[in-house]
Amino acid sequence: AFDGALRSPSLVTLSVSMWLSTIATHGWAAAAAPSATAAAPGSATARHIRRVAMDVALADEVERRRNLAIISHPDAGKTTLTEKLLLYGGAISQAGAVKAKGEQRRATSDFMELEQQRGISISSTVLSYEYDGKQVNVLDTPGHQDFSEDTYRTLAAADNAVMLVDAAKGLEPQTRKLFEVARLRRLPLFTFVNKLDRPSLSPYELIDQIEAEFGISCCPLLWPVGSGDRFRGVLERGARRVHLFARGERGKKAEEAAVVSLDDDRLEALIGDGELYAQLIDDVEMLDGLTDPLDLDRLKRGEQTPVLFGSAMTNFGVQLLLDTLMSLGSPPTPRALDAGDEAGFTSGELTGDEETVEPTSEDFSGFVFKLQANTDPKHRDRIAYVRVCSGRFEKGLKVKHSRLRGQQLTLAQAQTLLGAERSTLDGTSYPGDVVGIPFSPGQMAIGDTLYTGSPPPSFPPTSFP
């Protein structure tokens, strides 16, 4: 058990805590004795060590989760970016197109027939996959105002938000509204300025818009080298290196022509444009002098947003965005419980006084944030999307239903989700994951809480601004 804990470097403190807990509970002799005597099968010491080791494993899985929602005004490129995050995450081998032609692959997240016909997202979609040792859960949301209710509910299930901004148009009405929703939830916000491969506004003007309208500090992590036809790549400010791209085959990963240090004598020749090179050097000096450094505490409080520039269509900067989300994104955090007042939507905000459920709590809890029917044309299926908030979820788990006054349900069928694809859940789901639960009419409703143990948790309802 100790060895298993120590193999997780981020949780060494928990393994030490386990040892100290053994000392406190069973004395020095039990902590120092060989495992054969101190932790004989069935002994109190063995049960204690097993329980603490399971706590360590749960905390490790929680730390691995990255749950994020992508929000923006319509046509800013949400679905295209989602496809590219799947492509670079290894979940698909070729990115689909929003409006597929001929033999082109269709977008994974826009699987409904009406979405494919109209080329827009109508329903939020969950896409789960493994990347770089992390379990990633991407929540693609509709941008159109007519379907914003679905987006608001989906944001209640997210731990991070990616705000997409069209580089040519700047901030747009629906972007403004969705930002306020994310702020009420105190979600860490990452900003991706998209479509740099087209003529666009000045990056300084875009940052000024965000700071002036939202009152949030911007910290540019990726800075563009040119725009439109002269878009060459991006500067990774933290590492002080420039990523130069070559356009790749449609639907495939971009080809990285070169990754060069900012101080490399070859940089100007590789950019191939003396004016762009001079502008880049000036931009570096100005950004270092005028912008705030990245502050993780401010990011988690929603007071600062990292800004990254790129192009989802041409894949420029997408890999760097994904890596940034893995390194800076927040794992699942404590969830506030409903205090029974009329706070409604804003009761998702943590001010320090609320009762909360810790993701590492032993008891399972989760809430239904979306219902979807008839996703399988061969069956009249109904799926409840359940966000796991604490504990572990496994197929066959017996849970209590809060709205049905603690009625016990056996969740014998559970599914993992990747757009329209449904796979039977064979393993364990942890806080931050979204599982699909088939249900009978009247059995599930949006806002329902499923749980084990007592007293029953009650998560805040989602009302709308």
Side-chain angles (χ1 to χ4, degrees), residues 128-141:
S128 303
Y129 60 95
E130 288 267 349
Y131 173 74
D132 194 27
K134 301 287 196 298
Q135 175 67 30
V136 186
N137 299 297
V138 179
L139 308 174
D140 183 28
T141 63

Side-chain angles (χ1 to χ4, degrees), residues 248-316:
E249 183 182 344
R250 189 180 184 91
K252 300 290 186 180
K253 295 181 181 180
E255 298 177 10
E256 210 163 44
V259 181
V260 197
S261 168
L262 190 60
D263 303 320
D264 196 308
D265 295 335
R266 301 171 299 155
L267 181 56
E268 182 174 0
L270 289 169
I271 292 176
D273 188 319
E275 183 181 351
L276 285 182
Y277 173 76
Q279 180 65 53
L280 174 62
I281 299 304
D282 290 343
D283 287 343
V284 170
E285 294 180 2
M286 188 172 297
L287 291 170
D288 289 346
L290 296 179
T291 59
D292 294 334
L294 181 65
D295 185 326
L296 293 180
D297 289 334
R298 295 182 69 194
L299 168 62
K300 291 177 180 178
R301 292 196 302 268
E303 298 171 0
Q304 185 181 61
T305 177
V307 181
L308 303 93
F309 292 82
S311 167
M313 180 62 72
T314 58
N315 303 330
F316 290 7

Side-chain angles (χ1 to χ4, degrees), residues 18 21 25 44 46-56 362:
M18 180 170 68
S21 180
T25 308
R47 290 194 300 272
H48 175 72
I49 291 177
R50 189 181 307 112
R51 185 176 66 253
V52 179
M54 288 180 66
D55 291 343
V56 171
E362 181 179 351

Side-chain angles (χ1 to χ4, degrees), residues 314-427:
T314 58
N315 303 330
F316 290 7
V318 176
Q319 177 83 62
L320 295 169
L321 169 65
L322 183 56
D323 291 340
T324 299
L325 292 170
M326 296 305 100
S327 61
L328 301 181
S330 174
T333 54
R335 310 286 296 191
L337 297 180
D338 188 11
D341 56 18
E342 297 299 323
F345 188 84
T346 56
S347 61
E349 179 180 346
L350 290 178
T351 61
D353 300 328
E354 304 91 338
E355 184 181 358
T356 61
V357 170
E358 295 289 335
T360 52
S361 170
E362 181 179 351
D363 291 329
F364 163 80
S365 67
F367 67 91
V368 178
F369 69 91
K370 175 182 173 65
L371 303 177
Q372 191 153 17
N374 302 323
T375 55
D376 185 346
K378 298 179 181 179
H379 304 280
R380 293 183 178 179
D381 63 330
R382 299 176 182 84
I383 298 290
Y385 289 60
V386 177
R387 152 69 197 243
V388 180
C389 296
S390 66
R392 297 172 174 82
F393 177 89
E394 295 176 341
K395 186 174 65 173
L397 182 69
K398 296 183 185 297
V399 301
K400 298 174 184 177
H401 193 304
S402 61
R403 182 172 55 85
L404 301 181
R405 300 183 179 181
Q407 177 182 328
Q408 184 167 287
L409 303 176
T410 300
L411 304 180
Q413 300 181 53
Q415 301 172 346
T416 58
L417 309 166
L418 183 66
E421 296 180 17
R422 304 283 188 266
S423 302
T424 301
L425 177 66
D426 294 324

